[in-house]
Amino acid sequence: MMLKSGINAGECFELMSQDEPDGEYKEMLMEMAERADSGESVQSVFKNSGCFPEYVEGLIGVGERTGRIEEAFLSLAGYYDYLIRTEQRIRAALVYPVILMTVMMAVIVVLLVKVLPVFDSVYRQLGSGLEGIAGGLLKFGRILDSIMPLILVILAAAVIFAAAVSLLPGFRTEIIKIWNRFRGTRGAAGMMNSAKVFRAAAMGMKSGLSMDETMELAAEMMDDVPEISEKCRKCAVEIIDGASLADCLKKHGLIPAAEHRLLETGLRGGMGDGIVDEITKRLSEAAEDAIETRTSYLETGLVIVTALLVGLILLSVMLPLANIMSAIG
């Protein structure tokens, strides 16, 4: 925004440092301002700060050389905004089901371990006892009672995991990396990572990169998903050999059929940047919808299972009581 307003890079960093409450970041921005004012290129300023990934430095350098530095910064801003929103959705998708499942387990364990023995004691005083399903649940409850320390450890671990995912960005990032390594090309994760590939492509094209350089940038930004990163590098090699971007992406499964036709048409019509932005938007929305859908299904399933189990426990206890009361009456 500042660059677009005509403010030079040094003044941009200085103005940002004035509003920065964090001392470490404030000092970094002041150093960047001094470097920019001394005549260093913006790419060199970012590189010498030692705080930014290589693809950020490279993209800014390309933007400087091609006169598209504003577009480069705008693309990076959009990319990191997307990462933040995606991380928030993933956090919600991980934390809420874990908390719900923990509460479910706690309720069911209390019913089996504490409530059923009370009813069994009452029935024995009436000359009967819990039999059938209720008797089986009572035995299961006694087994749970004998391993209660282990259950408490499991519940505590689930709570700690949910808290760590919610409160520790570094831990959450590592969990996402592990998931991406094994499931990064499937389901909602695959949709999200496809959207990231196109977001990277949009960044590269707007900053003045060639098609093969754009795919190399995407490969670098997808290093946490080795399978997709390798596919992007293969696309870069094939583009150098004369293949089209749309066909390469389709060949390696990085774009759905409908979006492939849209991209192919846009590239032929000279509207590559706009079409890539549109496809990025579509894939991002599809990924977000997929996360929300799967989370809602999981939460609904957990609630239904809990309700059925609690209902089964209560019915297995209350029906014998109703029989006893009718016999007494």
Side-chain angles (χ1 to χ4, degrees):
M1 291 171 61
M2 293 181 188
L3 288 173
K4 195 170 184 178
S5 301
I7 302 173
N8 65 46
E11 291 177 340
C12 289
F13 296 130
E14 186 174 354
L15 288 171
M16 286 189 287
S17 70
Q18 293 174 5
D19 297 327
E20 178 56 56
D22 189 295
E24 184 179 353
Y25 284 120
K26 188 179 184 72
E27 183 180 350
M28 180 193 73
L29 288 168
M30 288 300 297
E31 289 178 1
M32 294 174 74
E34 291 174 4
R35 289 180 181 277
D37 287 336
S38 68
E40 286 190 26
S41 66
V42 180
Q43 180 186 18
S44 178
V45 169
F46 272 80
K47 184 175 182 179
N48 290 328
S49 71
C51 298
F52 299 92
E54 289 185 7
Y55 65 79
V56 170
E57 302 161 11
L59 205 61
I60 292 171
V62 173
E64 280 190 297
R65 291 193 297 272
T66 59
R68 297 185 179 183
I69 191 167
E70 293 175 17
E71 288 87 346
F73 275 112
L74 188 63
S75 297
L76 286 166
Y79 175 72
Y80 280 106
D81 180 64
Y82 171 73
L83 287 186
I84 290 170
R85 288 188 290 107
T86 302
E87 190 172 292
Q88 289 173 342
R89 290 180 180 276
I90 292 173
R91 178 174 61 184
L94 287 173
V95 173
Y96 296 154
V98 170
I99 293 175
L100 184 59
M101 187 168 62
T102 303
V103 173
M104 280 175 44
M105 289 177 62
V107 169
I108 292 171
V109 167
V110 168
L111 284 173
L112 293 176
V113 173
K114 299 297 181 182
V115 176
L116 280 183
V118 173
F119 277 94
D120 183 60
S121 176
V122 171
Y123 286 162
R124 291 191 181 281
Q125 291 177 8
L126 295 173
S128 181
L130 292 178
E131 299 176 350
I133 296 177
L137 291 172
L138 179 63
K139 292 177 181 178
F140 182 60
R142 287 170 179 164
I143 295 173
L144 291 179
D145 192 28
S146 65
I147 59 171
M148 185 57 68
L150 177 61
I151 294 174
L152 293 176
V153 169
I154 294 173
L155 291 175
V159 171
I160 292 171
F161 174 81
V165 169
S166 179
L167 302 175
L168 302 176
F171 179 76
R172 184 166 59 250
T173 300
E174 290 302 316
I175 293 296
I176 294 172
K177 284 182 179 179
I178 293 171
W179 181 265
N180 277 333
R181 190 168 295 275
F182 295 100
R183 300 281 300 179
T185 60
R186 299 174 182 85
M191 293 182 187
M192 282 192 298
N193 289 321
S194 292
K196 284 178 66 177
V197 169
F198 271 87
R199 198 165 289 275
M203 290 167 60
M205 293 171 71
K206 286 182 178 180
S207 302
L209 290 175
S210 63
M211 293 295 183
D212 58 292
E213 289 173 328
T214 293
M215 293 313 299
E216 285 289 353
L217 172 68
E220 186 177 348
M221 296 175 71
M222 297 301 299
D223 274 343
D224 58 333
V225 192
E227 187 175 344
I228 292 182
S229 180
E230 181 62 25
K231 288 180 178 180
C232 290
R233 289 191 169 89
K234 288 179 180 178
C235 284
V237 173
E238 291 171 8
I239 289 171
I240 293 174
D241 292 337
S244 71
L245 175 63
D247 290 341
C248 290
L249 292 171
K250 182 182 179 182
K251 175 182 176 182
H252 295 287
L254 294 175
I255 184 173
E259 278 68 27
H260 166 258
R261 290 191 293 272
L262 181 63
L263 178 60
E264 193 171 30
T265 303
L267 291 174
R268 287 178 179 174
M271 300 182 294
D273 291 3
I275 291 298
V276 169
D277 278 339
E278 177 63 25
I279 293 174
T280 301
K281 180 182 176 183
R282 287 189 182 190
L283 293 178
S284 299
E285 290 176 351
E288 291 171 1
D289 290 343
I291 292 174
E292 290 181 357
T293 300
R294 283 162 172 74
T295 302
S296 64
Y297 284 165
L298 180 58
E299 291 175 354
T300 303
L302 289 173
V303 170
I304 291 173
V305 170
T306 304
L308 290 175
L309 288 174
V310 171
L312 177 64
I313 293 170
L314 293 179
L315 283 174
S316 65
V317 169
M318 299 306 295
L319 289 178
L321 180 63
N323 292 332
I324 293 174
M325 296 301 295
S326 63
I328 294 176

